[in-house]
Amino acid sequence: MNVQEEITRLKEEKNAIILVHNYQRPKVQDVADYLGDSLGLSRKASNTNADMIVFCGVTFMAETAKILSPDKTVLLPRKEAGCPMADMVTSSDVIALKEKYPDAKVVSYVNTNADVKAVTDVCCTSSNAVEVVRNIEADRVIFVPDRNLASYVGRFVDKEIIPWDGYCYVHERITKDEVLKAKEKYPDALLLVHPECNPPVIDIADEVLSTQGMVDFVGESDNKRFLIGTEEGILYRLKKENPDKEFYPAGTPKICQNMKRTTLDDVYLALKDEQYPIEIPDEIISSAKRALEAMLQYV
Ligand code: 13P
Ligand code: SF4
């Protein structure tokens, strides 16, 4: 059996679409109908005509697709592909913060579980966090769960930000020392980093971008070499789309184990056996949808 061919056949039979995040394994990226960052994937999930979405990413991304398109079947090929950062804050934590700061609005990074989105005013992604916080009607903003993204946003807005102390274990491992060494080795390379990185790494970056922001920036840049400060999966796409340019990880390659759980066989099995469907209670869907749609209106 040819797995790629079976995937194509099943997709047509079931009117399914395969959405893939930029950190996924190369073979999974290659079967994507749409490959992108959290914002692009959310938009795609909200305006597809497909009946079924196979989401190759982590739980919060598939949940976001389900919240935006509740009538569709949304499948996560590996049930255990979670995001540890999303699990660092609970809805009770957010409710307690709201009680402590009643005048504040809540902005949640999409890297949160559905019940946290349900107690949120507006969601954001790494590509629109600054715009969302700047435009929300409040001088005080509770920002969960990523402390690094919160501090990055704080550089651009004149508002009080109350951060949660969450972080991404993958980006947290990128150190300023290793990035400086990489810059010494490739002095003509531009350093692109993700806003989940630590502030000392952000300070020395040429550009701070979402994963799709990196893809777009590289495509338009005249520079030849790039140091990439994010999960290593994106290097496959960057190299494939820009064969005339060179890409190096900014330090040792950093891997998100959760993003790498999904294999091509899992994608095939997901389509064949319709596994594993995302299920979210209706009342959570309706509140979380409001926060996600508010984000999609901002930018
Ligand atoms: P992007 O939305 O920039 O792709 O980031 C998602 C993510 O999980 C980063 O760790
Ligand atoms: Fe979560 Fe970090 Fe993995 Fe992104 S890279 S899915 S934030 S653990």
Side-chain angles (χ1 to χ4, degrees), residues 230-287:
T230 193
E231 211 271 350
E232 60 87 44
I234 196 174
L235 275 98
Y236 172 72
R237 179 172 179 191
L238 292 171
K239 287 175 185 165
K240 187 175 166 185
E241 293 183 6
N242 305 277
D244 55 327
K245 295 178 180 168
E246 292 171 31
F247 302 93
Y248 305 95
T252 57
K254 304 298 185 292
I255 294 172
C256 175
Q257 300 296 343
N258 315 68
M259 279 283 182
K260 294 299 191 276
R261 288 200 201 281
T262 309
T263 64
L264 194 62
D265 284 349
D266 293 326
V267 180
Y268 161 68
L269 289 173
L271 274 164
K272 180 167 85 68
D273 299 333
E274 303 190 8
Q275 64 192 24
Y276 296 91
I278 299 287
E279 278 157 22
I280 304 172
D282 287 348
E283 64 280 10
I284 301 248
I285 290 203
S286 59
S287 303

Side-chain angles (χ1 to χ4, degrees), residues 23 58 60 83-85 111 168-171 196 256 258-259:
Y23 295 160
V58 289
F60 77 81
C83 166
M85 173 157 68
N111 300 40
C168 163
Y169 75 101
V170 182
H171 291 86
E196 287 175 17
C256 175
N258 315 68
M259 279 283 182

Side-chain angles (χ1 to χ4, degrees), residues 6 50 52 61 84-85 96 104 109 115 126 153 184 186 209 241 246 250 294 299:
E6 272 304 288
M52 184 183 278
M61 296 180 174
M85 173 157 68
Y109 194 20
D115 60 326
S126 60
V153 169
E184 257 172 51
Y186 301 106
L209 297 160
E241 293 183 6
E246 292 171 31
V299 276

